[in-house]
Amino acid sequence: MGPIIAIDGPAAAGKGTLARRLAAELGLPYLDTGLLYRAVGRLVLDVGGNPSDVAIAEAAARRLDPADLDRSDLRGPAADAAASGVAAIPGVRAALLDFQRGFAARGGAVLDGRDIGTVIFPDAPAKLFVTASPQERARRRWLELRTKGEDADLATVEQDLRARDERDSARAAAPLRPAADAVVLDTSALDADAAFRAALAAVREKLA
Ligand code: CDP
Protein backbone atom coordinates (compact mmCIF):
# COMPACT_ATOMS: atom_id res chain seq x y z
CA MET A 1 0.00 0.00 0.00
CA GLY A 2 1.29 3.47 -0.90
CA PRO A 3 1.63 6.24 1.67
CA ILE A 4 -1.02 8.75 2.67
CA ILE A 5 0.07 12.35 2.29
CA ALA A 6 -2.00 14.97 4.07
CA ILE A 7 -1.96 18.56 2.82
CA ASP A 8 -3.91 21.04 4.92
CA GLY A 9 -4.03 24.80 5.12
CA PRO A 10 -6.17 27.93 4.82
CA ALA A 11 -8.08 29.12 1.75
CA ALA A 12 -6.21 29.73 -1.49
CA ALA A 13 -2.82 28.75 -0.06
CA GLY A 14 -2.03 26.77 -3.22
CA LYS A 15 -2.73 23.37 -1.65
CA GLY A 16 -4.46 22.05 -4.76
CA THR A 17 -1.68 22.84 -7.21
CA LEU A 18 0.90 21.47 -4.82
CA ALA A 19 -1.03 18.32 -3.95
CA ARG A 20 -1.74 17.53 -7.61
CA ARG A 21 1.95 17.86 -8.51
CA LEU A 22 3.05 15.78 -5.52
CA ALA A 23 0.58 13.06 -6.49
CA ALA A 24 1.85 12.98 -10.08
CA GLU A 25 5.47 12.90 -8.92
CA LEU A 26 4.86 10.09 -6.42
CA GLY A 27 2.45 8.10 -8.60
CA LEU A 28 -0.44 8.41 -6.13
CA PRO A 29 -4.11 9.27 -6.66
CA TYR A 30 -5.18 12.76 -5.61
CA LEU A 31 -8.36 13.87 -3.83
CA ASP A 32 -9.35 17.51 -3.41
CA THR A 33 -11.58 17.10 -0.34
CA GLY A 34 -12.76 20.71 -0.60
CA LEU A 35 -14.81 19.55 -3.59
CA LEU A 36 -16.89 17.31 -1.29
CA TYR A 37 -17.93 20.27 0.87
CA ARG A 38 -18.40 22.45 -2.20
CA ALA A 39 -20.67 19.86 -3.82
CA VAL A 40 -22.74 19.45 -0.62
CA GLY A 41 -23.05 23.24 -0.40
CA ARG A 42 -24.27 23.33 -4.00
CA LEU A 43 -26.86 20.61 -3.41
CA VAL A 44 -28.21 22.71 -0.53
CA LEU A 45 -28.36 25.83 -2.73
CA ASP A 46 -30.08 23.76 -5.47
CA VAL A 47 -33.06 23.13 -3.18
CA GLY A 48 -33.12 26.77 -2.03
CA GLY A 49 -31.76 25.82 1.40
CA ASN A 50 -29.47 27.66 3.80
CA PRO A 51 -26.02 26.00 4.09
CA SER A 52 -26.21 26.32 7.89
CA ASP A 53 -29.48 24.34 8.03
CA VAL A 54 -28.38 21.11 9.72
CA ALA A 55 -31.16 18.81 8.44
CA ILE A 56 -30.94 19.97 4.82
CA ALA A 57 -27.13 19.92 4.76
CA GLU A 58 -26.90 16.47 6.33
CA ALA A 59 -29.44 15.08 3.86
CA ALA A 60 -27.41 16.58 0.99
CA ALA A 61 -24.18 15.04 2.32
CA ARG A 62 -25.84 11.62 2.57
CA ARG A 63 -27.06 11.71 -1.02
CA LEU A 64 -23.80 13.08 -2.48
CA ASP A 65 -22.81 11.20 -5.61
CA PRO A 66 -19.21 11.18 -6.91
CA ALA A 67 -20.54 12.67 -10.18
CA ASP A 68 -21.50 15.80 -8.19
CA LEU A 69 -17.78 16.53 -7.81
CA ASP A 70 -17.59 17.17 -11.56
CA ARG A 71 -20.12 20.02 -11.50
CA SER A 72 -18.91 23.21 -13.13
CA ASP A 73 -20.39 25.51 -10.48
CA LEU A 74 -18.27 24.51 -7.47
CA ARG A 75 -15.99 27.57 -7.53
CA GLY A 76 -16.63 31.25 -6.90
CA PRO A 77 -17.80 33.28 -3.91
CA ALA A 78 -21.25 31.66 -3.50
CA ALA A 79 -19.81 28.13 -3.63
CA ASP A 80 -16.98 29.13 -1.24
CA ALA A 81 -19.42 30.42 1.37
CA ALA A 82 -21.83 27.48 0.98
CA ALA A 83 -18.96 25.00 1.39
CA SER A 84 -17.69 26.67 4.53
CA GLY A 85 -21.26 26.78 5.91
CA VAL A 86 -22.00 23.07 5.49
CA ALA A 87 -18.44 22.16 6.60
CA ALA A 88 -19.14 23.41 10.14
CA ILE A 89 -21.90 20.80 10.62
CA PRO A 90 -20.61 17.63 12.36
CA GLY A 91 -23.14 15.35 10.62
CA VAL A 92 -21.98 16.58 7.22
CA ARG A 93 -18.35 15.85 8.10
CA ALA A 94 -19.29 12.41 9.41
CA ALA A 95 -21.16 11.55 6.21
CA LEU A 96 -18.06 12.39 4.13
CA LEU A 97 -15.59 10.47 6.27
CA ASP A 98 -15.91 7.00 4.71
CA PHE A 99 -15.53 8.32 1.17
CA GLN A 100 -12.24 10.04 2.09
CA ARG A 101 -10.85 7.06 4.00
CA GLY A 102 -11.97 4.64 1.29
CA PHE A 103 -10.33 6.70 -1.42
CA ALA A 104 -6.89 6.39 0.19
CA ALA A 105 -7.30 2.85 1.53
CA ARG A 106 -6.98 1.42 -1.96
CA GLY A 107 -3.25 2.23 -2.24
CA GLY A 108 -2.32 5.48 -0.59
CA ALA A 109 -3.14 8.96 -1.83
CA VAL A 110 -2.45 12.65 -1.59
CA LEU A 111 -5.44 14.47 -0.06
CA ASP A 112 -5.81 18.19 0.51
CA GLY A 113 -8.21 19.94 2.84
CA ARG A 114 -8.46 21.34 6.36
CA ASP A 115 -8.51 18.28 8.65
CA ILE A 116 -6.72 15.53 6.72
CA GLY A 117 -3.77 15.37 9.12
CA THR A 118 -5.80 16.02 12.26
CA VAL A 119 -9.00 13.97 11.80
CA ILE A 120 -9.24 11.98 8.57
CA PHE A 121 -5.74 10.44 8.65
CA PRO A 122 -4.12 11.32 11.99
CA ASP A 123 -1.53 8.56 11.37
CA ALA A 124 -0.48 9.76 7.90
CA PRO A 125 3.32 9.49 7.63
CA ALA A 126 3.69 12.83 5.83
CA LYS A 127 1.68 15.94 6.68
CA LEU A 128 2.14 19.44 5.33
CA PHE A 129 0.38 22.58 6.50
CA VAL A 130 0.62 24.93 3.55
CA THR A 131 0.03 28.58 4.21
CA ALA A 132 0.82 32.11 3.00
CA SER A 133 -0.05 35.61 4.17
CA PRO A 134 -3.71 36.61 3.67
CA GLN A 135 -2.61 39.34 1.25
CA GLU A 136 -0.66 36.91 -0.89
CA ARG A 137 -3.43 34.30 -0.84
CA ALA A 138 -5.98 36.94 -1.83
CA ARG A 139 -3.74 38.09 -4.67
CA ARG A 140 -3.44 34.50 -5.97
CA ARG A 141 -7.20 33.84 -5.76
CA TRP A 142 -7.91 37.20 -7.43
CA LEU A 143 -5.51 36.35 -10.29
CA GLU A 144 -7.19 32.95 -10.65
CA LEU A 145 -10.63 34.58 -10.90
CA ARG A 146 -9.34 37.15 -13.39
CA THR A 147 -7.80 34.39 -15.52
CA LYS A 148 -11.27 32.81 -15.65
CA GLY A 149 -12.63 36.10 -16.93
CA GLU A 150 -14.33 37.07 -13.68
CA ASP A 151 -14.26 40.72 -12.69
CA ALA A 152 -13.26 40.28 -9.04
CA ASP A 153 -12.30 43.03 -6.60
CA LEU A 154 -9.07 42.32 -4.69
CA ALA A 155 -10.24 43.84 -1.39
CA THR A 156 -13.47 41.82 -1.50
CA VAL A 157 -11.57 38.63 -2.29
CA GLU A 158 -9.31 39.22 0.74
CA GLN A 159 -12.28 40.00 2.98
CA ASP A 160 -14.13 36.82 1.92
CA LEU A 161 -11.03 34.71 2.39
CA ARG A 162 -10.36 36.07 5.89
CA ALA A 163 -13.99 35.50 6.87
CA ARG A 164 -13.88 31.90 5.60
CA ASP A 165 -10.60 31.16 7.43
CA GLU A 166 -12.09 32.64 10.59
CA ARG A 167 -15.17 30.42 10.31
CA ASP A 168 -13.09 27.32 9.42
CA SER A 169 -10.76 27.93 12.39
CA ALA A 170 -13.43 28.82 14.95
CA ARG A 171 -15.80 25.90 14.33
CA ALA A 172 -15.94 23.11 16.91
CA ALA A 173 -15.97 20.28 14.34
CA ALA A 174 -12.51 19.58 12.86
CA PRO A 175 -11.28 23.18 12.93
CA LEU A 176 -8.55 24.38 10.60
CA ARG A 177 -5.24 23.98 12.42
CA PRO A 178 -1.89 22.31 11.77
CA ALA A 179 -1.44 18.78 13.13
CA ALA A 180 1.21 18.63 15.86
CA ASP A 181 3.46 16.63 13.53
CA ALA A 182 2.84 18.65 10.33
CA VAL A 183 5.61 20.45 8.49
CA VAL A 184 4.47 24.06 8.11
CA LEU A 185 5.30 25.46 4.69
CA ASP A 186 4.86 29.21 4.28
CA THR A 187 4.74 29.88 0.55
CA SER A 188 4.32 33.68 0.78
CA ALA A 189 7.70 34.26 -0.86
CA LEU A 190 7.76 31.12 -3.03
CA ASP A 191 6.53 30.68 -6.60
CA ALA A 192 4.73 27.44 -7.54
CA ASP A 193 7.95 25.63 -8.56
CA ALA A 194 9.83 26.61 -5.40
CA ALA A 195 6.84 25.61 -3.25
CA PHE A 196 6.71 22.25 -5.02
CA ARG A 197 10.43 21.61 -4.49
CA ALA A 198 10.16 22.48 -0.79
CA ALA A 199 7.06 20.30 -0.35
CA LEU A 200 8.60 17.34 -2.17
CA ALA A 201 11.76 17.56 -0.05
CA ALA A 202 9.70 17.64 3.16
CA VAL A 203 7.56 14.68 2.06
CA ARG A 204 10.57 12.61 0.97
CA GLU A 205 12.27 13.27 4.30
CA LYS A 206 9.15 12.18 6.20
CA LEU A 207 8.75 9.03 4.11
CA ALA A 208 12.43 8.05 4.27
O1 CDP B 1 -9.67 26.05 -2.60
P1 CDP B 1 -9.91 26.71 -1.27
O2 CDP B 1 -8.70 26.65 -0.39
O3 CDP B 1 -10.47 28.08 -1.38
O4 CDP B 1 -11.09 25.89 -0.56
P2 CDP B 1 -11.37 24.33 -0.50
O5 CDP B 1 -10.15 23.58 -0.08
O6 CDP B 1 -12.01 23.89 -1.78
O7 CDP B 1 -12.44 24.23 0.70
C1 CDP B 1 -13.67 24.90 0.65
C2 CDP B 1 -14.27 24.90 2.05
O8 CDP B 1 -14.59 23.55 2.39
C3 CDP B 1 -13.34 25.38 3.16
O9 CDP B 1 -13.45 26.77 3.38
C4 CDP B 1 -13.79 24.56 4.37
O10 CDP B 1 -14.84 25.18 5.05
C5 CDP B 1 -14.30 23.28 3.76
N1 CDP B 1 -13.38 22.15 3.89
C6 CDP B 1 -13.32 21.50 5.10
O11 CDP B 1 -13.96 21.91 6.07
N2 CDP B 1 -12.55 20.38 5.25
C7 CDP B 1 -11.83 19.92 4.23
N3 CDP B 1 -11.10 18.81 4.40
C8 CDP B 1 -11.83 20.60 2.99
C9 CDP B 1 -12.62 21.72 2.86
Side-chain angles (χ1 to χ4, degrees):
M1 150 125 177
I4 290 169
I5 299 175
I7 315 279
D8 291 305
K15 300 180 299 291
T17 309
L18 204 58
R20 195 172 286 108
R21 283 182 72 174
L22 283 173
E25 178 73 25
L26 301 169
L28 291 169
Y30 163 58
L31 179 64
D32 172 357
T33 67
L35 283 182
L36 301 171
Y37 298 90
R38 290 175 177 278
V40 172
R42 263 296 161 205
L43 290 176
V44 171
L45 297 180
D46 282 351
V47 297
N50 180 328
S52 301
D53 184 311
V54 173
I56 295 179
E58 287 182 355
R62 281 194 295 267
R63 70 167 193 279
L64 186 71
D65 183 283
D68 293 325
L69 307 184
D70 298 327
R71 287 176 64 147
S72 60
D73 55 0
L74 301 183
R75 305 273 169 200
D80 292 347
S84 179
V86 299
I89 300 171
V92 167
R93 308 198 70 85
L96 301 178
L97 193 69
D98 285 351
F99 180 84
Q100 296 174 79
R101 294 207 173 134
F103 182 88
R106 288 192 287 273
V110 179
L111 301 95
D112 82 66
R114 301 291 184 286
D115 64 338
I116 308 303
T118 51
V119 174
I120 308 295
F121 289 109
D123 297 328
K127 301 177 185 177
L128 295 182
F129 191 83
V130 181
T131 186
S133 69
Q135 294 83 357
E136 176 57 17
R137 292 187 284 116
R139 192 190 65 85
R140 291 177 191 169
R141 182 54 45 96
W142 176 77
L143 274 176
E144 210 174 280
L145 290 165
R146 295 269 302 217
T147 307
K148 282 197 274 181
E150 281 166 46
D151 188 21
D153 168 61
L154 179 59
T156 308
V157 171
E158 183 175 332
Q159 216 170 54
D160 288 355
L161 185 142
R162 283 178 184 270
R164 189 147 60 94
D165 286 349
E166 172 58 32
R167 174 147 61 163
D168 290 345
S169 305
R171 70 185 178 212
L176 165 67
R177 60 174 176 82
D181 54 347
V183 174
V184 177
L185 181 63
D186 187 331
T187 67
S188 301
L190 304 181
D191 65 17
D193 286 338
F196 172 64
R197 284 193 300 272
L200 185 61
V203 168
R204 288 222 157 109
E205 193 179 317
K206 284 284 186 182
L207 296 182

